[in-house]
């Protein structure tokens, strides 16, 4: 049975329908965000970077990062999107960054040292944030849960 190692919940600023998580050591990321970003698939994997396409143009989403010691079961609930990816994170930390808004102030800690990870990403609130973002800047409507576990 997998064990939950850590959980962190952070707000993430979304703009131009996107945001990314990339290795905090940006020397390990050949193509820094937002280079190459295109509104499209829910999750796109690059070396050292994960790009997410949101349901809304400009808003603040809730991002839950769960770190597990082995592959967990999918999070309970109803999700509008689900995708799998892998990332090598040499620093053990990720930086959340918006398309135009740039990096968030605090890194997201995955581990004390670098590691290769598998990720399951799910999202809800996408249809609702699409509507609300046309009339303002909503907060916490769209929710992401990202499950990380070591790639073996």
């Amino acid at each position: 049975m997998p064990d939950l190692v850590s959980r962190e919940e952070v707000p993430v600023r979304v703009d131009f329908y996107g945001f990314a998580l990339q290795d905090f050591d940006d020397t390990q990321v050949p193509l820094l965000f937002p280079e190459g970003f295109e509104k499209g698939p829910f999750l796109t994997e690059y070396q050292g970077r994960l790009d997410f396409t949101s349901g809304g143009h400009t808003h603040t989403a809730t991002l839950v990062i769960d770190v597990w010691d082995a592959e967990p079961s999918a999070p309970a609930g109803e999700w509008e999107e689900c995708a799998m990816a892998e990332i090598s994170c040499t620093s053990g930390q990720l930086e959340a960054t918006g398309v135009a808004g740039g990096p968030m102030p605090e890194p997201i800690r995955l581990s004390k040292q670098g590691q290769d990870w598998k990720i399951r990403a799910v999202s809800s609130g996408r249809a609702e944030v699409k509507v609300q973002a046309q009339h303002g800047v909503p907060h916490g409507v769209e929710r992401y849960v990202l499950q990380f576990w070591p790639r073996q």
Side-chain angles (χ1 to χ4, degrees), residues 56 58-59 126-139 141:
T58 303
H59 64 99
R126 299 172 66 76
E128 182 61 26
V129 82
K130 180 178 182 178
V131 172
Q132 288 189 25
Q134 293 175 14
H135 306 287
V137 180
H139 297 279
V141 174

Side-chain angles (χ1 to χ4, degrees), residues 12 31 72 89 95 102 112-113 117 122 141 150:
V12 63
L31 191 63
C89 183
E95 176 179 74
K112 292 183 181 180
Q113 71 271 349
W117 299 93
V122 297
V141 174

Side-chain angles (χ1 to χ4, degrees), residues 16-35:
F16 294 94
Y17 294 97
F19 72 95
L21 296 176
Q22 61 188 18
D23 195 327
F24 196 74
D25 178 2
D26 63 12
T27 65
Q28 302 302 309
V29 184
L31 191 63
L32 294 174
F33 190 76
E35 288 184 62

Side-chain angles (χ1 to χ4, degrees), residues 5 39 45 63 65 85 91-92 96 101 103 109 119 130 135 144:
V5 176
K39 181 184 170 200
E45 176 184 327
L63 180 63
I65 305 288
S91 69
R109 180 176 297 280
I119 300 101
K130 180 178 182 178
H135 306 287
Y144 294 80

Side-chain angles (χ1 to χ4, degrees), residues 17-18 37-43 51-55 126 142 144:
Y17 294 97
F37 174 74
E38 293 182 23
K39 181 184 170 200
F42 167 61
L43 173 58
D51 290 4
F52 293 87
T53 295
S54 169
R126 299 172 66 76
E142 189 174 47
Y144 294 80

Side-chain angles (χ1 to χ4, degrees), residues 9 28 37 51 69 79 83 108 116 120-122 124 137 139-140 150 152:
E9 185 171 318
Q28 302 302 309
F37 174 74
D51 290 4
D69 65 355
W79 305 102
I108 296 165
D116 294 335
R120 177 184 296 115
V122 297
S124 64
V137 180
H139 297 279
Q152 312 237 355

